[in-house]
Amino acid sequence: MRPPILALKDVRLVDGATTLFDGVDLALEPGVKACLVGRNGAGKSTLMRLLMAQIQSDAGERVVSPGARISVVPQEPKIVGETLLDYATAGGALDYQAEATLTELGLDPAKSTAGLSGGEIRRAALARAFAEEPDVLMLDEPTNHLDILAIETLEGMLKASRGAALIVSHDRAFLERTTTRCFWLESRKVRRLDKGFAAFDDWSEKQLEAEADEFRRLGVALAKEEHWLQRGVTGRRARNEGRRRRLMAMREQKSTVLREARGSLNMEMAVGTASGKRVAEAKSLSKAFGDKVLVKGFSTRIQRGDRVAIVGPNGAGKTTLVKLLLGQIQPDAGSVQLGTNLEIAYIDQARADLDASPTLWEALTPGGGDQVMVGNTPRHVAGYAKDFLFRDNQLRQPVSTLSGGERARLLLARALATPANLLVLDEPTNDLDMETLDMLEDLLAGFQGTLILVSHDRDFIDRLAGSTIGLNGRGEVVETPGGWNDFLAQNPGFFTSGVQVLRTQQKSAATLVAPPPARAKAKLTYKDQRRLEELEGLVASLPQEIGKLEAVIADPGLYARDPAAFDRTMKAMDAARARLAAAEEAWLVLEEKRESLAG
């Protein structure tokens, strides 16, 4: 193996009485593409600053090859200079290299640095870093504010780069496609896996299981030593001083493990009343701003329980489409009819609903007091904040002092406390760590209402979406069953070709005459297939449930002993029979549909 370009050896860093890192080893050899993984607050950004020599360690050493060039893209880049080309060449890159990378990332080198969007700022910072042709590239959340197409461009640039890279990112799909090594920052240590991120979950789970076993063994050994101390140390103090010191060290070790144990993220969602079956129905929607046509002739129907992802390049009109569907802005043509009993919770990508001046406590309790209403259940603000990994000492801090990930968790805490049957999430994954994303994904998977999701996170979309609506910025809008990969497979060239036939629910004369593709008739939609599987499970399980209830009712003495229990059981049995009848009827309808499609 070649010697590392950049390395930390046995590094220790202390902040007051708190040890941030102890015995950290990390090395990057030429060509290695590594990710640095760890929950929010574990110290990833601090470790990056150590690697960049922005701060000094208390022990150990930082080693860098002579003449090595390191380029950094921070989480919040600052773009200065008259034009993007001026900015991209300020670090020493040649003009032609800077122009090439700016163009590859979809930017005009002559564009002014004033008034850039979040995505343009990110792409400019990436272009500058790659143009410098560094030996080590350090990227902190590089996919934030990038659309999916820009992320895929970045993946190609990383794979083509000959230098090493260290990447901090929450984007699983991005890390799986780009990394060959993982560094896991956990409990002040860095552990190394010489495989890409695709292998990380299984490996880290085994590491945690091994640690749990070790902690249990430590507890048993500590109990034995404390029993020995209580029974005989006073009479043998001098002879057993070494054993007593070992006991004290074990106590300190257990105390440290308990003190550093990871917090338990415990998100819950307030349940709203059921909406009507139809949530929103759009017919022939069109919307333009000046000469820019964002939506042209798009129709769709969103029903209760649907999970709809909206994807497309930045500026294609994703947020505009959401506002059209919610009736927040009026279309130039067409109509939207909203359903009944809608209770909407909306998290927008700009986080405009989050004032930076109040404290965390005040943000969670805008009406004052010390209670957060989660649905109809009061929760003390400190306990509710702890569920979202906020510490007690943060409650009186201004929101402005929170990190990007903490602000994202605060928005989720507020939105999830509000009863809702329609949840709209516009870029919810920005700044969230993987632990929070996994919990959010589980929560949304069990959400009984309707979900509209705008995201660039391909893995998140593929796991959650029942259908995906794509916009390409030329007014063309297509809806396809499934997630991101399903959309790409069924709409090749949609985001890149100049001409694309709209595949929406429009019923023009041309689509009525032309026979639909054979593939479209071959199987149920993704949503119907999922519903059919759910119904099959109910048809199989409900008879067993009904049988158990019938056995309870068959007890001749039940009514005399407990009339209330008898009534509850009768009502439960009637409800189960009604559910079975409804499930069987719905199953028959979908099964007949499946057979007719199969021909």
Side-chain angles (χ1 to χ4, degrees):
M1 182 178 290
R2 290 179 289 179
I5 306 169
L6 179 64
L8 299 177
K9 295 184 178 179
D10 198 23
V11 162
R12 186 169 188 266
L13 183 65
V14 177
D15 182 11
T18 304
T19 301
L20 300 179
F21 305 119
D22 193 8
V24 166
D25 292 312
L26 187 152
L28 291 170
E29 295 83 27
V32 169
K33 306 297 190 295
C35 59
L36 176 60
V37 181
R39 55 200 168 103
N40 283 350
K44 300 187 296 294
S45 295
T46 303
L47 192 59
M48 295 273 273
R49 292 175 65 199
L50 277 171
L51 284 163
M52 293 183 286
Q54 293 179 351
I55 56 175
Q56 300 297 315
S57 63
D58 296 296
E61 60 178 327
R62 171 183 180 267
V63 179
V64 59
S65 295
R69 172 178 282 188
I70 302 173
S71 293
V72 181
V73 178
Q75 194 168 144
E76 296 182 357
K78 306 296 182 186
I79 309 300
V80 296
E82 182 125 358
T83 67
L84 291 180
L85 183 60
D86 293 333
Y87 165 76
T89 56
L94 300 176
D95 282 8
Y96 78 90
Q97 291 172 320
E99 286 182 359
T101 53
L102 286 166
T103 303
E104 186 173 3
L105 285 162
L107 295 172
D108 179 1
K111 184 179 177 66
S112 170
T113 59
L116 298 175
S117 68
E120 288 172 328
I121 289 172
R122 179 72 53 186
R123 283 181 284 153
L126 288 166
R128 171 172 169 163
F130 276 95
E132 291 170 356
E133 296 188 334
D135 300 294
V136 179
L137 185 61
M138 303 185 69
L139 306 177
D140 194 352
E141 295 293 358
T143 65
N144 272 4
H145 306 293
L146 294 186
D147 59 45
I148 296 177
L149 304 181
I151 293 172
E152 292 182 341
T153 298
L154 175 58
E155 288 172 356
M157 295 171 71
L158 269 171
K159 291 174 183 176
S161 170
R162 290 178 293 180
L166 182 65
I167 307 164
V168 174
S169 177
H170 66 266
D171 189 324
R172 290 178 174 273
F174 176 73
L175 293 180
E176 287 177 0
R177 287 166 169 79
T178 57
T179 59
T180 56
R181 180 180 297 171
C182 298
F183 293 110
W184 184 24
L185 178 56
E186 174 70 14
S187 300
R188 302 178 300 152
K189 303 284 186 182
V190 171
R191 295 173 236 201
R192 170 172 158 172
L193 171 66
D194 286 321
K195 294 181 180 179
F197 182 77
F200 174 79
D201 282 342
D202 289 342
W203 172 76
S204 61
E205 191 66 32
K206 291 176 182 176
Q207 294 281 315
L208 290 175
E209 289 173 0
E211 277 195 357
D213 289 340
E214 183 178 349
F215 183 63
R216 283 191 290 270
R217 289 194 295 270
L218 174 63
V220 171
L222 181 56
K224 289 180 179 178
E225 291 297 310
E226 287 181 333
H227 179 69
W228 165 83
L229 178 66
Q230 293 166 2
R231 294 192 57 185
V233 70
T234 53
R236 304 186 297 273
R237 182 173 299 277
R239 187 174 54 191
N240 293 299
E241 184 63 23
R243 187 170 182 179
R244 189 185 70 84
R245 286 197 300 269
R246 178 170 174 264
L247 171 61
M248 297 302 108
M250 289 172 67
R251 283 178 175 171
E252 177 61 25
Q253 182 184 358
K254 184 173 182 179
S255 174
T256 299
V257 171
L258 290 173
R259 186 171 60 250
E260 295 179 351
R262 58 174 59 210
S264 177
L265 190 66
N266 187 32
M267 291 191 291
E268 58 181 299
M269 182 181 295
V271 180
T273 58
S275 68
K277 184 176 181 181
R278 180 182 61 190
V279 173
E281 184 169 2
K283 295 182 179 179
S284 302
L285 285 185
S286 292
K287 186 67 178 178
F289 292 96
D291 295 333
K292 178 72 171 177
V293 178
L294 297 177
V295 179
K296 184 171 57 181
F298 175 64
S299 301
T300 189
R301 179 182 296 163
I302 300 174
Q303 301 196 85
R304 183 179 61 231
D306 284 355
R307 284 159 166 73
V308 182
I310 299 178
V311 301
N314 287 342
K318 300 186 294 295
T319 301
T320 297
L321 179 59
V322 170
K323 291 181 177 180
L324 285 168
L325 293 174
L326 297 181
Q328 295 181 355
I329 59 175
Q330 294 302 308
D332 298 332
S335 63
V336 174
Q337 187 171 359
L338 293 175
T340 57
N341 301 325
L342 290 182
E343 298 174 336
I344 304 173
Y346 193 161
I347 297 180
D348 71 295
Q349 62 174 314
R351 299 173 185 161
D353 193 36
L354 195 58
D355 189 348
S357 56
T359 64
L360 175 60
W361 183 300
E362 292 166 340
L364 288 173
T365 58
D370 60 1
Q371 301 288 327
V372 179
M373 293 301 296
V374 183
N376 295 318
T377 304
R379 294 282 310 278
H380 192 274
V381 62
Y384 187 63
K386 189 175 182 180
D387 286 347
F388 288 82
L389 299 183
F390 291 109
R391 302 181 302 277
D392 289 345
N393 62 3
Q394 291 181 287
L395 289 170
R396 299 299 182 183
Q397 294 179 2
V399 170
S400 59
T401 65
L402 300 179
S403 68
E406 288 168 336
R407 289 195 294 270
R409 291 206 307 273
L410 173 56
L411 272 176
L412 284 172
R414 297 205 317 182
L416 298 182
T418 305
N421 51 38
L422 172 57
L423 189 59
V424 183
L425 302 179
D426 194 347
E427 300 291 6
T429 65
N430 279 349
D431 300 314
L432 291 180
D433 61 25
M434 291 179 187
E435 182 182 2
T436 307
L437 279 176
D438 288 344
M439 178 67 76
L440 178 60
E441 182 186 309
D442 291 342
L443 195 70
L444 295 176
F447 178 48
Q448 296 301 308
T450 306
L451 173 66
I452 297 177
L453 172 67
V454 180
S455 181
H456 64 256
D457 191 320
R458 295 158 293 180
D459 182 75
F460 201 65
I461 293 170
D462 279 336
R463 291 173 186 243
L464 286 173
S467 66
T468 299
I469 298 173
L471 301 88
N472 62 12
R474 299 186 295 272
E476 299 168 350
V477 188
V478 171
E479 185 170 10
T480 296
W484 168 252
N485 285 311
D486 296 306
F487 186 92
L488 284 185
Q490 297 177 58
N491 299 279
F494 174 73
F495 293 110
T496 55
S497 64
V499 178
Q500 178 76 22
V501 178
L502 290 177
R503 290 182 236 178
T504 65
Q505 295 179 10
Q506 297 169 278
K507 295 184 178 180
S508 64
T511 56
L512 288 173
V513 173
R519 184 176 180 185
K521 286 191 173 183
K523 61 180 181 179
L524 292 172
T525 66
Y526 176 85
K527 186 167 34 178
D528 282 347
Q529 182 61 42
R530 288 288 300 274
R531 180 58 177 158
L532 184 62
E533 293 168 1
E534 291 172 0
L535 292 168
E536 288 172 347
L538 287 173
V539 170
S541 63
L542 282 172
Q544 300 174 16
E545 181 181 333
I546 293 169
K548 292 177 182 178
L549 293 169
E550 288 174 338
V552 174
I553 292 295
D555 179 358
L558 176 61
Y559 184 81
R561 289 195 313 273
D562 192 344
F566 181 87
D567 288 342
R568 287 196 303 271
T569 307
M570 283 294 295
K571 289 178 180 177
M573 186 170 65
D574 290 343
R577 286 171 173 168
R579 289 175 62 203
L580 177 59
E584 287 174 340
E585 182 179 351
W587 180 84
L588 284 171
V589 171
L590 284 176
E591 183 63 18
E592 289 174 358
K593 182 178 180 181
R594 184 189 66 79
E595 290 178 357
S596 67
L597 288 173

